[in-house]
Amino acid sequence: NAGVTQTPKFQVLKTGQSMTLQCAQDMNHEYMSWYRQDPGMGLRLIHYSVGAGITDQGEVPNGYNVSRSTTEDFPLRLLSAAPSQTSVYFCASKDRENQPQHFGDGTRLSIL
Amino acid sequence: AQSVTQPDIHITVSEGASLELRCNYSYGATPYLFWYVQSPGQGLQLLLKYFSGDTLVQGIKGFEAEFKRSQSSFNLRKPSVHWSDAAEYFCAVGSSNTGKLIFGQGTTLQVKP
């Protein structure tokens, strides 16, 4: 049982480059979300999805794009990377209501 | 506004001593409350959750938390801390219908031998 799988685990980008962080879950969960973790700020919600074809913005959506074409996958796109997007990114999924979220192991992203 | 506050950024306790990590929340609807633990370089592991019912909830690794609606608090406790408990702890409040979580800033626990 793989759970929530994030790739890559580490990535270094130059300012202005674009990339996609991948997130896949094999638990048939409806809810998926992306968070970023920065020192002293906990985790902050970037985007979330309550099902295939449905996405919405979280607390810090600017500079990020998402889509949810399948239940399993929820990629996060950085359109033009900026140093302020250096962070650790976590993807999470959850089943129906009243269930906790399952987190991936994170992607550590550095923007130079 | 919805928010979670963990007043203690850093706590140091001796091994074998008791532990209490504080968490206060502001949330308009019925709160669903969680405590997660994160070891360095790792992801988040769920310690325990509160959705409804008994306000004292038991979790993994000997942790428990008590929901106090009147104080808007959900403090985490452990009677005897082990060196392996050293980690960062996050309190979070969530929505049942969207899966959105609001996290506190985290509390780093250091355990002295």
Side-chain angles (χ1 to χ4, degrees):
Chain A
N1 187 359
V4 179
T5 302
Q6 291 185 235
T7 55
K9 296 190 183 303
F10 303 93
Q11 184 71 50
V12 179
L13 293 178
K14 294 181 179 179
T15 298
Q17 286 185 315
S18 63
M19 83 159 294
T20 299
L21 308 186
Q22 301 291 344
C23 176
Q25 53 92 7
D26 61 357
M27 298 172 281
N28 202 33
H29 286 174
E30 289 297 319
Y31 305 102
M32 296 187 75
S33 49
W34 276 102
Y35 297 83
R36 60 176 289 174
Q37 182 179 22
D38 302 292
M41 303 187 74
L43 282 78
R44 293 178 292 168
L45 182 64
I46 305 172
H47 285 285
Y48 67 99
S49 169
V50 299
I54 305 170
T55 64
D56 204 349
Q57 296 181 353
E59 183 183 356
V60 288
N62 292 340
Y64 306 96
N65 197 7
V66 293
S67 60
R68 184 95 181 270
S69 56
T70 67
T71 299
E72 294 78 20
D73 300 300
F74 191 44
L76 178 72
R77 298 181 186 85
L78 281 71
L79 305 176
S80 177
S84 61
Q85 294 177 305
T86 293
S87 187
V88 181
Y89 291 84
F90 288 98
C91 179
S93 74
K94 74 184 287 292
D95 201 347
R96 60 194 184 284
E97 296 183 15
N98 296 354
Q99 294 298 318
Q101 299 212 23
H102 298 256
F103 283 84
D105 289 336
T107 294
R108 190 173 297 272
L109 181 64
S110 294
I111 315 295
L112 305 178
Chain B
Q2 301 170 350
S3 65
V4 176
T5 300
Q6 295 178 243
D8 305 305
I9 296 174
H10 193 107
I11 283 183
T12 300
V13 300
S14 297
E15 189 169 17
S18 63
L19 171 70
E20 182 170 29
L21 302 183
R22 295 182 291 165
C23 173
N24 295 98
Y25 67 90
S26 173
Y27 199 73
T30 301
Y32 295 89
L33 295 155
F34 308 85
W35 275 99
Y36 286 88
V37 61
Q38 183 182 37
S39 297
Q42 302 298 312
L44 280 80
Q45 181 182 23
L46 178 69
L47 283 177
L48 46 77
K49 61 186 184 292
Y50 171 79
F51 291 133
S52 64
D54 193 347
T55 56
L56 183 64
V57 293
Q58 302 296 320
I60 62 171
K61 304 184 179 185
F63 286 92
E64 67 177 26
E66 186 171 13
F67 170 58
K68 293 186 178 180
R69 185 184 298 274
S70 61
Q71 299 178 19
S72 297
S73 69
F74 188 56
N75 294 348
L76 181 71
R77 301 193 294 250
K78 187 170 185 178
S80 178
V81 171
H82 188 262
W83 64 266
S84 61
D85 294 324
E88 190 162 20
Y89 292 79
F90 292 96
C91 180
V93 62
S95 162
S96 67
N97 59 346
T98 64
K100 296 166 60 177
L101 283 179
I102 300 169
F103 283 84
Q105 303 93 319
T107 297
T108 300
L109 173 65
Q110 183 179 359
V111 180
K112 293 190 302 183

